[in-house]
Amino acid sequence: MTTTSAEHTALGSLSAVAEARRAARAFLGGLGQQALGPEQADTVILVVSELVTNALRHGGGSYTLRLTAHPGGIEVAVGDRSPQPPRARTPDLVEGTGGFGWHMVNDLAHHVAVTLTTDGGKTVHALLPR
């Protein structure tokens, strides 16, 4: 299998997360049913949701989503305008203010990396199994 990729950029509110999920579903659908099972596809969509939500909340209100199919996995890359890397925090079980997403992304992915971009932002890369 050759590498296949797609890119999606958006500004806006948290409703942009639904748009990112739709873009990811369309990308995965284009790979064909044999490329990814339903459980793996759900995992990709979940990671897209978490990384895009974090980019919108903490990264300046816009994001770039890049999805790439490699022979051994799907890479989800989400860029934003903040140079601050994501940080793990204690999940809030009382007030419901979050703290679960970064832990979840790291648990689901084979590899996670954060790279700084030349425009002063960052890109979070998560490689998920196929």
Side-chain angles (χ1 to χ4, degrees):
M1 168 188 229
T2 60
T3 301
T4 304
S5 64
E7 185 169 321
H8 178 75
T9 301
L11 295 169
S13 67
L14 293 180
S15 65
V17 176
E19 189 179 322
R21 285 192 298 262
R22 280 191 295 276
R25 281 189 190 99
F27 173 77
L28 296 173
L31 297 177
Q33 290 188 348
Q34 305 296 37
L36 211 60
E39 188 173 314
Q40 289 86 3
D42 288 346
T43 299
V44 171
I45 301 300
L46 180 59
V47 169
V48 165
S49 293
E50 288 299 325
L51 293 181
V52 169
T53 297
N54 286 347
L56 292 170
R57 285 187 180 159
H58 308 292
S62 67
Y63 70 91
T64 300
L65 168 65
R66 280 183 230 72
L67 297 162
T68 306
H70 300 283
I74 303 291
E75 180 182 359
V76 177
V78 177
D80 64 47
R81 296 183 294 200
S82 171
Q84 297 300 316
R87 63 179 176 86
R89 58 188 179 107
T90 303
D92 183 351
L93 300 173
V94 177
E95 301 293 324
T97 60
F100 296 93
W102 188 239
H103 294 286
M104 185 172 46
V105 168
N106 281 279
D107 287 344
L108 293 171
H110 279 312
H111 180 73
V112 177
V114 180
T115 57
L116 297 178
T117 59
T118 57
D119 63 357
K122 68 175 172 304
T123 301
V124 179
H125 305 264
L127 181 61
L128 303 163
R130 288 184 84 141

